[in-house]
């Protein structure tokens, strides 16, 4: 339950970082990147939970792996954001 609560804040940080950057393609590019990252998070979360059920991964590891990976991505995007 804790990991699900942290996903919202991680996505807010990531999407805020994407929306504040000025791009040549305009706002549509940032929306597209945000949607692609959100879709890839859901896909990775589903694959990870499937591995926990079928491949015998630790449940704690399979729940936190996508969160840690996408938190790193959010941190990198946040550091690249103009202040």
């Amino acid at each position: 339950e804790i990991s699900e609560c942290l996903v919202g804040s991680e996505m807010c940080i990531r999407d805020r970082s994407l929306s504040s950057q000025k791009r040549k393609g305009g706002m549509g590019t940032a929306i597209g990147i945000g949607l692609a990252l959100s879709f890839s998070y859901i896909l990775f979360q589903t694959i990870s939970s499937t591995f926990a059920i079928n491949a015998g991964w630790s449940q704690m590891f399979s729940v936190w792996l996508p969160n840690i990976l996408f938190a790193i991505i959010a941190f990198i995007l946040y550091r690249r954001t103009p202040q």
Side-chain angles (χ1 to χ4, degrees):
E1 291 181 15
I2 295 173
S3 67
E4 292 176 3
C5 295
L6 295 176
V7 170
S9 60
E10 178 266 325
M11 285 187 176
C12 287
I13 292 170
R14 186 190 66 220
D15 293 338
R16 182 212 169 266
S17 300
L18 285 172
S19 67
S20 66
Q21 295 176 357
K22 299 292 183 191
R23 295 186 187 269
K24 187 176 181 179
M27 190 57 94
T29 305
I31 292 172
I33 293 171
L35 284 173
L37 284 172
S38 297
F39 175 75
S40 64
Y41 173 79
I42 293 169
L43 180 68
F44 193 55
Q45 182 73 28
T46 304
I47 291 170
S48 180
S49 63
T50 302
F51 276 133
I53 295 169
N54 296 332
W57 281 13
S58 167
Q59 293 177 355
M60 184 73 81
F61 176 73
S62 66
V63 168
W64 281 100
L65 181 65
N67 294 334
I68 292 170
L69 179 69
F70 281 87
I72 292 170
I73 292 171
F75 179 73
I76 291 169
L77 288 172
Y78 180 75
R79 295 292 292 179
R80 289 182 49 204
T81 304
Q83 300 300 327

